Amino acid sequence: MRCRIKICGVTRPEDAVMAAEAGADAIGLVFHPPSRRCVSEAQAARIVVALPPLVSAVGLFLDADAAQVRRVRSAVPLDLLQFHGNESAAFCEQFGDRYIKAVGMAGGDAWAVAREHPAAAGLLLDGHPPGAAGGSGEAFDWHQSLPAEPRIIVAGGLRVDNVAEAVEAIRPWGVDCSSGVESAPGIKDRRSIAAFIEEVYRVERHPGD
């Protein structure tokens, strides 16, 4: 099984294209105003239009009200929604879209969230406390006991020099990186993205190296 790769916190069309050309399967767009990587609906629409085919666009929300989510969905052609706060399963499911539910592993319980969100397309395990925004660059303990299921996406503190360890330890469906491939908040670095993706490919080709 190939580990999928998402580059999150994209703020510019050229960075989205760059990530896709390097091999990313998805890009993430942040719709949480306090974040330094937050984009407007107009920005997000320009980014998504620039994407080549077969690359997914994921919209990230944190305890947004339903009206905001619907407004973004009507303006931006997103493929998946991603919820990072304390959203219930009923809230996440009301939009009729496939969604990813984030789990803040600094005091969070991946097992409980997995049970509470059986319809989630993915569970994104991040290093932040439950309900926080993520993007802090903090990793969690990749060697702890985690739910044995295929929906896991690993995030939080991933960089070129440690993503191989995370993939080896968890064997997740995907990995998600934001600050670890940036030259500044929201500005992606071409060489870092290429090296990050190559590390994921390398550990899959040569596990244990």
Side-chain angles (χ1 to χ4, degrees), residues 1-6 23-26 150 152-155 158 163-164 166-168 170-177 196-205:
M1 183 186 72
R2 181 175 69 84
C3 181
R4 273 63 176 178
I5 300 165
K6 174 169 166 273
D25 300 283
I152 288 178
I153 303 164
V154 176
L158 294 179
V163 66
V167 172
E168 285 270 26
I170 299 177
R171 292 293 170 184
W173 178 258
V175 292
D176 189 331
C177 185
F196 182 89
I197 292 174
E198 177 54 32
E199 272 297 284
V200 176
Y201 290 168
R202 181 190 63 78
V203 76
E204 291 188 318
R205 290 193 303 264

Side-chain angles (χ1 to χ4, degrees), residues 103-107 125-129 134-144 154-159 161-163 165-166 170 176 179-180:
V103 184
M105 296 299 289
L125 311 187
D126 205 344
H128 62 269
S136 64
E138 296 295 324
F140 64 93
D141 177 10
W142 299 319
H143 300 278
Q144 66 181 280
V154 176
L158 294 179
R159 306 180 304 273
D161 62 355
N162 67 8
V163 66
E165 180 186 350
I170 299 177
D176 189 331
S179 60

